[in-house]
Amino acid sequence: MTVAREPQESASAGVGRATAALLTARPSTPGWRRTLRQLTRNSNTVVGGILLLLLIIGSVLAAPLLTRYDPLATNTRARLQGPSLEHPFGTDDLGRDLWSRVLYGGRLSLRAGFIAVGIAIVGGSLIGLIAGFYGRWVDMVLMRLIDVLMAMPGILLTMIFIFSLGPSLTNAMIAIGLASIPEYARIVRGSVLSAREQTYVEAALVVGVPAWRIMGRHILPNVVAPVLVVATIGIGGAILSLAGLSFLGLGAQPPTPEWGVIVSDGRARLRTAWWITTFSGLAIAFAVLAINLVGDGLRDIFDPRLRSR
Amino acid sequence: MGTYVVRRILASFFVIFGLITVVFFLMRLLPGDPVSLMMTEFAAAAEDMERIREQLGLNDPILVQYVRYLGNLVQGDLGESVFTHRAVSAQVLSQLPATLELAVASTLIGVVFGVVTGIFAAAWRDSIFDRLSMLVSLFFISMPSFWVGLLFIYVFALHLGWFPVAGTGGLSHLVLPAVALGMRPIAVLSRVVRTSMLEVLRQDFVQTARAKGVLERRILFGHALRNVLIPVITLIGIQFGYALGGSVIIETVFGRQGIGQLAVGAVQKHDYPLVQGTVLFIGIVFVFANLIVDLLYGIIDPRIRYS
């Protein structure tokens, strides 16, 4: 059964192939210098993505300098104002400044994206390493489980976790991370399986190096590149999922200035105050776009077969 | 072909059984007592909670619960909603057509527009169309579907009045949600079709065809397109699953009926049996969609049948 779930976001249909190619291709020149050179030589879009991402991260971090409004401060005299110099993104029905809500919301969303992917990487690597390294029935049982978990759309798995944890920003972040574990487990396992075949691993086994040491020193480094590519795109996916869950009331709760919450705030005012929904949604789209552009660039570097010609 | 079909069908049933088991144990073993979560809003008395726990059979050993659950499931009994006391199976089945309609429509939109865009992007490689469509597709992938849905409502329903704002019904109710959900499949498919098309166009038989003077149009839509079908079909399966998952959000945005909206409501209200039933059902639909994709593979590419 080829029940595949799309690796969260983006045009990452080539991830399987990417992984395969990564295992055969070995950089001849020292890794990071080569990567850096290719990243800069790469098409304008990737450079644009990096710049956009830096701009977003920078302005989100510098939020207190870029706005003098508290994202939670209400002001009844400035309700539902359209975009102006004073309020670039307008104000919502409680008179809160949307520019500062979107800025501060970015902190939450970006951080949540990183943490969720972090959870997925740690969990997925652990399972993938164990399955790939021990093989046999351990591998069989774990991989069948992964197959089954991937046989349902990711958001449903996330919703099961939220169901038991209860809706909140932190829980949504954890739930997204947990629900993405299978994807990473599968990638890591694949890389481990081919790394295992290498002579140096066999040699280490024969000499009697303990299993955990072989995994950490000899096998894990092979896994880094494919995971890095998927994880980058995964951060974008996690941000989208979080916004979606918050929109449904299953993630961050109002009045938290989370992007999905703000879009949802604007929903009731769609007819009269288009700016609430529009700008918060644009923030999500541009953040995810920047991350996807960088992810695409990374994939091009690590997988020459898919490089845009 | 016969054994291939049988093998695939058996594998699907195995996955469905796994799905039933995993969902069951996940929902029971995860921290958080469903009944107390359900009751937080009402500050229910301890004996009420005990009664509901008893009613749901949550006090029995977990394996007993599991066997009973399987037994009921075989008879088509998914339990009943804690709040409405309506049978979960009946609710799910009545909502299923609307969700299927939405998922199929958005996948179709994705396939048609995605494949066409991909073909022309590849044919006019490095043209403005190519660059623009690839950049736009990346933007499509990055947009949250619920936001797109809201913008559509704002522009096409509230302002232009071309489509109804919300609800379930005929074609006019389907267009906006289906397109909102179809943006992403369009983007994903156009990118993949473009890449595979470029690969195919470099192959010898295409060169030969060109040398023979076959019309470029025929090469694109006849020779090359056929070879691009395999990745397209894989993606159709994946994107259908995405549409099923996306229905959870889009149905809420457009106030449409469907399993997705049922699932969201169930999670919000902590309606335990309903959550389990909806999740299971969407999962099963996805497994069947993948089964169909696998069988299509076998028809299109004989090599797959024997591997």
Side-chain angles (χ1 to χ4, degrees):
Chain A
M1 189 77 197
T2 48
V3 233
R5 193 170 66 207
E6 189 174 0
Q8 287 283 330
E9 290 306 309
S10 146
S12 36
V15 169
R17 280 191 297 164
T19 321
L22 277 165
L23 296 163
T24 47
R26 209 143 295 285
S28 46
T29 38
W32 278 111
R33 220 174 335 141
R34 179 168 161 278
T35 306
L36 209 69
R37 202 186 319 142
Q38 274 177 351
L39 214 49
T40 46
R41 194 202 303 154
N42 218 283
S43 60
N44 299 329
T45 45
V46 176
V47 177
I50 293 172
L51 290 179
L52 186 59
L53 191 60
L54 287 178
L55 180 73
I56 291 171
I57 293 177
S59 36
V60 156
L61 288 179
L65 304 175
L66 295 172
T67 173
R68 49 196 182 83
Y69 290 99
D70 181 327
L72 294 173
T74 56
N75 178 2
T76 41
R77 275 175 303 173
R79 294 176 63 235
L80 294 175
Q81 289 183 0
S84 64
L85 278 178
E86 186 61 26
H87 301 287
F89 286 0
T91 61
D92 64 10
D93 48 350
L94 295 174
R96 293 175 297 199
D97 177 55
L98 284 164
W99 167 242
S100 44
R101 278 181 76 69
V102 167
L103 276 183
Y104 282 97
R107 291 182 165 191
L108 297 179
S109 290
L110 292 177
R111 194 182 56 197
F114 274 102
I115 295 176
V117 169
I119 293 173
I121 290 179
V122 171
S125 302
L126 211 62
I127 295 174
L129 270 177
I130 291 172
F133 190 78
Y134 288 105
R136 298 189 213 232
W137 66 268
V138 179
D139 183 38
M140 229 252 328
V141 170
L142 286 175
M143 282 305 116
R144 286 299 85 78
L145 187 66
I146 298 285
D147 280 349
V148 168
L149 288 174
M150 290 184 88
M152 62 179 129
I155 187 156
L156 291 179
L157 196 54
T158 314
M159 279 167 69
I160 294 183
F161 287 122
I162 288 181
F163 178 75
S164 87
L165 297 171
S168 80
L169 175 63
T170 314
N171 290 346
M173 193 168 75
I174 295 171
I176 293 167
L178 291 176
S180 319
I181 286 179
E183 192 188 318
Y184 291 86
R186 193 177 266 182
I187 297 164
V188 170
R189 173 195 173 254
S191 315
V192 171
L193 278 186
S194 15
R196 234 192 100 93
E197 300 298 309
Q198 305 288 331
T199 0
Y200 58 82
V201 174
E202 265 174 55
L205 272 173
V206 171
V207 180
V209 180
W212 59 267
R213 213 188 141 87
I214 299 182
M215 284 197 228
R217 292 278 309 254
H218 302 298
I219 292 187
L220 212 53
N222 289 288
V223 178
V224 172
V227 167
L228 187 67
V229 172
V230 176
T232 309
I233 292 165
I235 293 172
I239 291 175
L240 280 178
S241 303
L242 177 68
L245 290 169
S246 302
F247 179 79
L248 293 175
L250 302 176
Q253 302 295 316
T256 315
E258 196 273 340
W259 286 342
V261 173
I262 307 176
V263 174
S264 172
D265 283 344
R267 189 183 171 201
R269 299 283 178 178
L270 199 55
R271 194 184 289 268
T272 47
W274 54 269
W275 51 88
I276 306 177
T277 296
T278 308
F279 291 123
S280 48
L282 273 179
I284 304 175
F286 275 110
V288 178
L289 175 71
I291 291 168
N292 281 341
L293 283 172
V294 174
D296 261 21
L298 283 179
R299 187 176 48 218
D300 284 353
I301 291 165
F302 288 124
D303 184 4
R305 269 161 39 90
L306 291 174
R307 187 164 303 159
S308 29
R309 284 166 282 260
Chain B
M1 190 71 194
T3 53
Y4 173 76
V5 174
V6 172
R7 221 169 54 215
R8 279 283 156 265
I9 291 176
L10 281 179
S12 299
F13 276 102
F14 182 80
V15 172
I16 289 175
F17 176 73
L19 205 59
I20 293 168
T21 309
V22 167
V23 170
F24 178 89
F25 282 103
L26 264 184
M27 297 213 35
R28 260 130 190 112
L29 298 181
L30 282 172
D33 171 38
V35 177
S36 50
L37 277 172
M38 193 160 69
M39 290 297 150
T40 42
E41 285 133 61
F42 310 107
E47 57 261 35
D48 282 342
M49 283 173 40
E50 198 47 43
R51 188 176 46 79
I52 289 173
R53 216 170 267 137
E54 195 62 45
Q55 204 181 319
L56 289 169
L58 292 172
N59 286 334
D60 299 327
I62 191 153
L63 281 177
V64 174
Q65 292 184 39
Y66 177 60
V67 172
R68 188 173 51 216
Y69 181 68
L70 284 184
N72 290 340
L73 206 60
V74 172
Q75 298 164 37
D77 179 6
L78 287 163
E80 58 177 35
S81 160
V82 177
F83 296 100
T84 62
H85 293 290
R86 286 183 57 206
V88 169
S89 52
Q91 289 192 60
V92 168
L93 283 177
S94 71
Q95 303 286 322
L96 186 61
T99 299
L100 280 182
E101 185 185 74
L102 178 63
V104 170
S106 69
T107 310
L108 257 180
I109 290 171
V111 172
V112 173
F113 289 96
V115 170
V116 171
T117 312
I119 290 176
F120 284 112
W124 302 327
R125 198 174 115 192
D126 291 334
S127 67
I128 293 178
F129 177 80
D130 180 23
R131 283 168 189 279
L132 206 64
S133 65
M134 287 306 112
L135 196 65
V136 169
S137 72
L138 212 51
F139 196 70
F140 276 18
I141 290 171
S142 312
M143 296 186 301
S145 63
F146 56 93
W147 177 66
V148 177
L150 288 176
L151 289 190
F152 279 3
I153 291 178
Y154 179 71
V155 176
F156 297 108
L158 290 176
H159 266 261
L160 299 172
W162 292 353
F163 298 101
V165 174
T168 322
L171 195 62
S172 62
H173 285 91
L174 183 61
V175 175
L176 292 185
V179 176
L181 206 49
M183 305 286 263
R184 193 195 142 84
I186 293 177
V188 172
L189 274 152
S190 67
R191 294 176 75 85
V192 171
V193 166
R194 176 185 177 273
T195 312
S196 352
M197 202 74 178
L198 284 178
E199 240 159 69
V200 174
L201 286 178
R202 272 183 299 139
Q203 282 178 17
D204 290 344
F205 72 90
V206 174
Q207 304 296 331
T208 312
R210 283 206 177 118
K212 272 167 48 185
V214 178
L215 285 176
E216 192 64 24
R217 192 166 20 127
R218 268 204 70 186
I219 292 176
L220 282 181
F221 292 93
H223 298 70
L225 185 58
R226 201 172 302 182
N227 284 282
V228 174
L229 272 182
I230 293 281
V232 168
I233 287 172
T234 317
L235 278 177
I236 292 177
I238 296 172
Q239 291 304 321
F240 187 78
Y242 160 77
L244 283 175
S247 70
V248 168
I249 290 179
I250 284 294
E251 283 171 4
T252 306
V253 172
F254 286 91
R256 262 179 79 84
Q257 287 187 345
I259 299 192
Q261 157 268 122
L262 195 63
V264 173
V267 174
Q268 281 168 345
K269 279 185 274 180
H270 284 285
D271 195 332
Y272 192 70
L274 196 55
V275 171
Q276 195 166 337
T278 46
V279 167
L280 200 58
F281 236 82
I282 299 180
I284 289 173
V285 171
F286 189 28
V287 171
F288 274 112
N290 275 298
L291 174 65
I292 294 171
V293 164
D294 277 2
L295 295 182
L296 272 179
Y297 268 151
I299 294 169
I300 291 175
D301 190 346
R303 286 169 298 187
I304 290 169
R305 294 202 291 259
Y306 302 107
S307 61

